[in-house]
Amino acid sequence: MASLSSTPYVDLSRDDWAHLSASTPLPLTADDVRRLRGIGDPVDLHEVDVVYRPLSRLLDLYIGATHGLHAATAAFLGESASRTPFVIGIAGSVAVGKSTAARLLRELIARWPATPKVELVTTDGFLYPNAELERRGLMGRKGFPESYDRRALLRFVAQVKAGVPEVRAPVYDHVTYDIVPGEQVVVSRPDVLIVEGLNVLQPARSTSRSNVAVSDYFDFSIYVDARTPDVRRWYVERFLSLRSTAFARPGAYFGRYAKLTDDEAVGLAGQIWDDINAPNLAQNIAPTRARATLVLRKDADHRITGVRLRKL
């Protein structure tokens, strides 16, 4: 059963967690799951059933309670209650599966009657364009906090949370490895906004004049966690798969890697992980795990083995 020790968290095993949604319908099919999962992530319908179905129900409860609190506050202040978007942040390492988790939750939450309009935005769109990263000498640190236009990201989330009718976000293309000039995602008063990215749980910078972080606008946050050696292996395996998919497409930034041998690809992927992704994980991403409302713990086979939920 759940651990109720003197910590601010409730720890649940996989079985305990799965039992929490016995009466919750599962609206997705195996084809849906195959469409939503990322490269190298073997999540299947059973995993969605025992992990993401109860999580979507928990989020539905949080969303309903938050809206009730907003209505009560508006009544107390003598104001007309306006529906405020519920914002969920999803963080974790490169290759850990956070994008798959975000897409699955978007589909599941949208099936709940109270939240039919769910938008998903990734922070990749708020990376500086490659030309600007080159100008700043940051191409080798792409994905580190300083490679993002944090002010634009903060402004975007704040405007969505404030109920601005239309808020626009830049679009990132993983094939060209750059921001798409002139292309934008338009978010228009969603019931729920999911913000997924490496660094979304970081606190405000000490040098920031506003002293506000993107995570300050989150109503709920999730950290997808796994042991670093496992994530490194997943990253290398994904790199191998990309040789025949994204790397092989016309105009691909990493097109020169498409014809690497297995040994060459393994060596290069391991070097990229060790030089860029591992330091970013250790210095910037993993330290934010304790700030999450809920942590999903993955085993070596991508299977969720436990859930840690912050107590209210």
Side-chain angles (χ1 to χ4, degrees):
M1 292 300 292
S3 170
L4 297 175
S5 60
S6 57
T7 76
Y9 302 96
V10 178
D11 288 296
L12 299 104
S13 69
R14 179 184 176 89
D15 290 340
D16 289 339
W17 179 254
H19 287 321
L20 297 178
S21 65
S23 62
T24 304
L26 178 61
L28 300 186
T29 66
D31 286 341
D32 290 328
V33 175
R34 281 192 289 270
R35 172 174 55 87
L36 296 168
R37 67 190 178 197
I39 293 176
D41 192 337
V43 64
D44 57 17
L45 189 63
H46 178 69
E47 187 76 357
V48 173
D49 187 29
V50 301
V51 175
Y52 294 98
R53 181 162 63 116
L55 179 52
S56 77
R57 175 54 178 152
L58 177 67
L59 288 166
D60 181 61
L61 292 172
Y62 270 73
I63 293 165
T66 301
H67 287 158
L69 179 59
H70 287 168
T73 302
F76 174 75
L77 295 173
E79 300 175 344
S80 59
S82 59
R83 191 175 177 89
T84 302
F86 188 91
V87 182
I88 301 169
I90 301 182
S93 171
V94 170
V96 80
K98 63 186 181 301
S99 297
T100 297
R103 289 191 292 266
L104 288 169
L105 286 173
R106 177 188 59 191
E107 295 291 326
L108 288 165
I109 296 169
R111 264 62 170 194
W112 288 98
T115 53
K117 190 174 184 181
V118 182
E119 299 281 3
L120 168 60
V121 171
T122 71
T123 59
D124 291 342
F126 293 92
L127 284 160
Y128 286 116
N130 286 351
E132 179 64 16
L133 292 173
E134 292 280 10
R135 189 185 73 80
R136 298 184 181 212
L138 292 174
M139 276 301 288
R141 292 179 67 80
K142 199 167 186 178
F144 281 71
E146 62 269 27
S147 65
Y148 293 88
D149 187 344
R150 287 175 282 190
R151 186 175 300 175
L153 175 59
L154 182 63
R155 183 170 57 248
F156 169 81
V157 178
Q159 289 178 343
V160 173
K161 191 65 174 172
V164 174
E166 284 192 355
V167 187
R168 299 173 184 271
V171 173
Y172 186 82
D173 187 334
H174 286 272
V175 174
T176 62
Y177 198 58
D178 204 356
I179 300 297
V180 181
E183 191 167 337
Q184 295 179 318
V185 173
V186 179
V187 174
S188 179
R189 287 182 172 166
D191 300 305
V192 177
L193 172 67
I194 299 173
V195 182
E196 176 258 309
L198 300 172
N199 301 298
V200 296
L201 293 182
Q202 284 206 317
R205 292 177 294 170
S206 58
T207 57
S208 173
R209 286 181 293 177
S210 66
N211 203 33
V212 177
V214 170
S215 58
D216 291 335
Y217 292 101
F218 294 165
D219 297 288
F220 195 97
S221 55
I222 299 166
Y223 186 93
V224 184
D225 193 27
R227 290 181 290 269
T228 300
D230 292 331
V231 186
R232 185 187 193 276
R233 176 170 52 80
W234 299 338
Y235 176 80
V236 172
E237 290 171 351
R238 188 176 74 175
F239 190 95
L240 292 172
S241 298
L242 288 171
R243 287 179 303 166
S244 59
T245 54
F247 293 172
R249 294 177 189 171
Y253 181 86
F254 292 113
R256 60 192 181 279
Y257 298 155
K259 298 187 183 302
L260 293 176
T261 66
D262 285 353
D263 287 345
E264 289 170 339
V266 168
L268 179 60
Q271 180 183 343
I272 294 172
W273 174 269
D274 294 339
D275 292 347
I276 300 173
N277 295 313
N280 195 20
L281 174 58
Q283 297 166 18
N284 301 305
I285 303 168
T288 69
R289 177 177 48 205
R291 306 187 77 238
T293 313
L294 180 141
V295 177
L296 294 173
R297 299 197 199 94
K298 280 192 168 188
D299 208 346
D301 59 358
H302 276 277
R303 185 171 172 267
I304 302 293
T305 58
V307 177
R308 166 167 279 200
L309 175 66
R310 184 184 294 275
K311 297 175 185 175
L312 291 175

